[in-house]
Amino acid sequence: MANNLFAAIDMGTNAFKLLMVQAHLPGKFIPLLTVKEPVVLGHDSPSSTISTHSQNLSIKSLLNFNKLIQTHNIPPLHTRCIATSAVREARNKVEFIDSVAETTGFKVEVLSAEEEARFSYLGTLQFLPVFDNMVLNVDIGGGSTEIAIGLRGKVEFCSSLKLGHVTLTQQNFGDEEAKRAPNMRDYIRNVVKESGLIEKVKNFGFEIALGSSGTIRAIEKAVSKGHALDFAENEALFSECKGDWSFSRDELKSVVESLCKGGEGQKVKRDGFFKRRSESIVAGGILLDELFDLLGIQEMLVSGYGLREGVIADCLAKVFCDGYDLNANARFRSVLQLAARFNGKKKTTSAAEIASIATEIFEGLSKCKDLDNNGVNLSIHLDDKDLEYLEAACLLHNIGLSTGKKGYHKKSYHIIMNGNHLHGYSAEEVKLIALLTRHHRKKLPKFEDDSFNEFGEEANQKLKVLCSIIRLSVVLHHNGCINYREMDFSHSCEGFKLVIGEARVQNQLPGVEQCTVDNLAAELRQELEYFKKASRIKLLRISLLSSRTEISDILFCPYIGFSSSLFRCSSKNCSLNLKHQLPVQTNHATS
């Protein structure tokens, strides 16, 4: 939905970038589209003035971005366009901003150095589980470098250095290759020392150093891929190398030494590896190397997110107010990373589709708390945290298939429980997610077993609900006549209804049984028997209507106070009615 779509435009010194995301409470967003335009503001002007040529390129890029934003129907209030040091320092910034507004409709926010540092820090929190750590965040831009020290989303200290990989590259440090690097290092040291940054960082201290810019990500890639070595002689070694989003002081120095070597061969190698960033990567590497030495950094974690993601996080926090969790997206990313590690594209897509079905059912059931009849309220309250656990379990339920189909749900459980894969979750939360994957198929859990002792009564009841949702979602998805993209879960005075579009299967393969309504009904009846045995659910009636068949049963669920009263399939769609059951004559419905 457009109301969940947000966009951020970063008018940087080195490039213009557009990011579109889909947002989900309590604090997750999924990147949908990233576009980069090679606009280098001021590149063709000797002064701090945005040239006519750069202005024209800027307008052209922003018009392209605007078309994409309008195509996705992103509301204007969900779009932010920010500018950094190149515009901040430009003599003609007012004229430039007015021209952009008049031509493209974008209202440009020119960030102060402090705001830029803060957004870069917020961006790293969306990628890495460092919310509870005192973090030193370094963002090397084209025109400046922002330093921030933050804890739990609050910036304790920030500073901006007028040192950027583009501006350093453009300065004259001498014509001789052997003197350029030493002269650049002397200049960087003087600027850093005169800023008072070293003393400030020492006073505040930090636990973890982070890098959140394209330059730093490029250096991490060079470390992981072995740029300092000879590619031709170590091809087998490089094919096995994998980046781990970090590098040490020694690894950085090795790459920088390689970058500073002269000769046409080194330049060809550098251009081939760093592509368009090759022109300024030497300056960026030297700058980062000096910051490591001056600030006492021994190791740096690298964030795949930065300024734009920080702007998105700030925007979401304002839109959702108290419902936004700055730490949620880093948790969600660890789930996605674990899923991608064990699953290929097909299995990952399947898991995501099941998560969509489960989310639709969950959001429908969560409305139970808003229903009231004769003063009786439902006892189980489903919140955003419960949805987060359910989505995580859906995305991870099939990772055990990497070792074979037999007992894969048990393997998924053991993978999640061992290896410290999920970051930002407590041990209890990890176990809850693992148990949902463990019991998404086959036998339902016995909640009196030792595995559930650490959960309280309310948590156990919620776990039963979440377990029933994931199991139902898996059954619906695995049946070929379901189109998960056409779903609607609604409620009225008559009850809840899940409407699922019918998939139109064409070119059925020989020997493969055609999906029928009867097949789906049989699976659901079997699933409901599992519910009955595991959760003491009284099975009353399920109604299945088609052109040929009618079966009557009703499912009554005492622990959440709703009943499944009707399952319909027709030529156009399938609908599952979950009808609200009020405890008029019995007391166990809300217990």
Side-chain angles (χ1 to χ4, degrees):
M1 297 189 305
N3 287 339
N4 287 339
L5 298 181
F6 292 78
I9 298 172
D10 172 14
M11 299 168 59
T13 302
N14 190 46
F16 283 15
K17 301 170 186 176
L18 167 67
L19 171 66
M20 293 185 192
V21 306
Q22 184 178 51
H24 303 272
L25 283 175
K28 299 174 294 182
F29 60 79
I30 301 173
L32 299 179
L33 179 67
T34 301
V35 182
K36 183 177 180 180
E37 294 276 1
V39 180
V40 184
L41 290 177
H43 187 276
D44 54 350
S45 176
S47 65
S48 58
T49 301
I50 301 174
S51 69
T52 302
H53 176 66
S54 291
Q55 288 191 45
N56 291 336
L57 287 177
S58 301
I59 297 297
K60 182 180 178 181
S61 297
L62 292 174
L63 286 173
N64 290 336
F65 290 168
N66 200 18
K67 287 180 182 178
L68 291 170
I69 290 171
Q70 291 181 358
T71 298
H72 287 78
N73 297 317
I74 299 178
L77 292 177
H78 289 190
T79 301
R80 291 180 72 174
C81 182
I82 57 100
T84 54
S85 62
V87 178
R88 187 166 63 232
E89 304 295 333
R91 297 175 182 175
N92 59 339
K93 68 178 179 181
V94 175
E95 294 86 346
F96 176 63
I97 292 170
D98 290 342
S99 176
V100 168
E102 182 179 352
T103 311
T104 69
F106 288 127
K107 181 181 178 181
V108 179
E109 301 177 50
V110 182
L111 300 182
S112 67
E114 292 76 17
E115 289 173 323
E116 188 175 350
R118 174 176 170 268
F119 286 144
S120 296
Y121 165 61
L122 289 181
T124 63
L125 296 184
Q126 309 309 301
F127 192 85
L128 294 166
V130 294
F131 185 77
D132 294 317
N133 299 105
M134 183 71 84
V135 168
L136 170 68
N137 190 70
V138 180
D139 185 347
I140 297 178
S144 64
T145 293
E146 272 58 53
I147 308 291
I149 295 178
L151 174 66
R152 300 186 64 81
K154 180 183 177 182
V155 174
E156 304 290 341
F157 163 77
C158 64
S159 177
S160 180
L161 302 171
K162 292 186 178 181
L163 298 169
H165 59 85
V166 172
T167 53
L168 282 172
T169 301
Q170 293 174 345
Q171 290 195 44
N172 182 15
F173 290 109
D175 297 329
E176 297 181 30
E177 192 72 31
K179 292 184 177 180
R180 278 186 59 79
N183 290 343
M184 186 183 296
R185 287 183 182 276
D186 290 340
Y187 176 77
I188 292 170
R189 288 193 201 104
N190 289 334
V191 172
V192 174
K193 290 177 180 178
E194 289 176 3
S195 71
L197 176 65
I198 300 173
E199 292 76 15
K200 287 289 187 180
V201 171
K202 184 177 180 180
N203 289 338
F204 279 94
F206 62 92
E207 298 174 87
I208 297 174
L210 298 181
S212 59
S213 63
T215 292
I216 296 176
R217 287 193 288 271
I219 290 173
E220 188 277 332
K221 179 182 177 182
V223 169
S224 65
K225 298 295 183 181
H227 180 268
L229 305 176
D230 191 325
F231 284 104
E233 294 180 2
N234 296 276
E235 185 175 354
L237 172 64
F238 298 127
S239 65
E240 298 176 1
C241 285
K242 293 183 179 180
D244 58 1
W245 299 97
S246 68
F247 53 84
S248 68
R249 189 174 185 175
D250 290 339
E251 288 172 328
L252 171 62
K253 287 188 176 297
S254 178
V255 168
V256 173
E257 287 175 5
S258 175
L259 292 175
C260 291
K261 290 180 181 178
E264 187 63 28
Q266 283 297 120
K267 184 179 184 305
V268 171
K269 175 184 173 182
R270 187 170 67 238
D271 291 346
F273 189 88
F274 293 100
K275 310 300 181 186
R276 183 174 168 272
R277 194 176 292 276
S278 173
E279 183 179 358
S280 60
I281 192 63
V282 176
I286 291 174
L287 172 56
L288 185 61
D289 191 27
E290 287 299 320
L291 290 174
F292 263 61
D293 287 343
L294 294 170
L295 302 181
I297 301 172
Q298 299 300 321
E299 182 179 37
M300 176 169 280
L301 299 183
V302 181
S303 171
Y305 290 171
L307 179 62
R308 286 168 298 155
E309 290 79 10
V311 171
I312 290 288
D314 182 72
C315 188
L316 296 180
K318 291 177 179 178
V319 170
F320 295 120
C321 299
D322 295 336
Y324 191 78
D325 180 357
L326 277 174
N327 200 27
N329 205 65
R331 293 195 300 267
F332 186 58
R333 276 196 52 80
S334 71
V335 172
L336 296 178
Q337 288 172 335
L338 179 58
R341 178 178 177 183
F342 286 92
N343 284 340
K345 183 177 180 180
K346 185 176 180 180
K347 292 176 184 175
T348 300
T349 300
S350 175
E353 291 172 351
I354 290 172
S356 295
I357 297 172
T359 299
E360 195 73 36
I361 297 174
F362 178 95
E363 291 177 347
L365 295 184
S366 64
K367 297 172 185 175
C368 287
K369 64 181 173 56
D370 299 323
L371 298 182
D372 179 37
N373 190 25
N374 297 327
V376 179
N377 288 310
L378 300 175
S379 60
I380 297 301
H381 171 61
L382 300 173
D383 55 32
D384 293 329
K385 278 283 190 181
D386 299 319
L387 178 57
E388 183 179 349
Y389 305 145
L390 178 64
E391 289 180 329
C394 289
L395 292 170
L396 298 175
H397 81 281
N398 59 353
I399 58 177
L401 283 170
S402 58
T403 58
K405 186 175 181 180
K406 184 177 181 180
Y408 75 87
H409 54 303
K410 299 178 183 178
K411 297 171 186 174
S412 298
Y413 170 85
H414 288 295
I415 292 172
I416 295 170
M417 288 296 293
N418 298 287
N420 193 29
H421 300 294
L422 301 184
H423 304 299
Y425 293 98
S426 67
E428 181 177 312
E429 290 173 321
V430 171
K431 186 170 184 180
L432 190 151
I433 294 169
L435 285 171
L436 287 175
T437 65
R438 166 68 177 80
H439 296 291
H440 82 270
R441 66 192 289 262
K442 300 295 184 181
K443 294 181 179 180
L444 276 166
K446 295 179 180 179
F447 289 92
E448 63 274 10
D449 287 354
D450 292 340
S451 299
F452 301 93
N453 284 344
E454 63 190 81
F455 303 109
E457 181 179 351
E458 182 180 359
N460 266 339
Q461 289 187 347
K462 282 189 174 185
L463 190 55
K464 293 177 184 179
V465 179
L466 299 181
C467 188
S468 69
I469 294 174
I470 189 174
R471 292 176 69 93
L472 179 59
S473 302
V474 170
V475 170
L476 291 173
H477 180 268
H478 286 177
N479 194 291
C481 64
I482 293 301
N483 182 353
Y484 85 98
R485 293 178 180 85
E486 299 177 10
M487 293 180 56
D488 181 55
F489 197 116
S490 60
H491 70 91
S492 65
C493 58
E494 296 179 352
F496 290 91
K497 181 167 68 173
L498 173 65
V499 180
I500 306 175
E502 179 188 32
R504 288 158 178 79
V505 182
Q506 299 178 352
N507 301 323
Q508 189 75 17
L509 295 175
V512 177
E513 184 180 2
Q514 176 71 43
C515 164
T516 66
V517 171
D518 291 340
N519 292 341
L520 180 56
E523 287 189 65
L524 285 175
R525 281 198 297 270
Q526 184 181 19
E527 186 60 39
L528 294 174
E529 285 297 326
Y530 285 142
F531 291 168
K532 178 181 177 181
K533 293 177 182 178
S535 303
R536 299 178 184 176
I537 297 172
K538 186 178 180 182
L539 189 64
L540 299 176
R541 186 182 71 197
I542 298 176
S543 294
L544 175 68
L545 302 177
S546 70
S547 58
R548 298 176 303 168
T549 310
E550 181 170 345
I551 305 171
S552 292
D553 286 312
I554 287 184
L555 171 66
F556 178 68
C557 307
Y559 57 85
I560 55 175
F562 73 89
S563 67
S564 173
S565 61
L566 179 64
F567 182 80
R568 284 198 184 115
C569 282
S570 68
S571 59
K572 293 183 178 180
N573 59 57
C574 299
S575 65
L576 175 63
N577 273 3
L578 300 178
K579 192 171 185 180
H580 182 58
Q581 180 81 14
L582 291 171
V584 178
Q585 296 179 334
T586 58
N587 294 323
H588 62 279
T590 56
S591 61

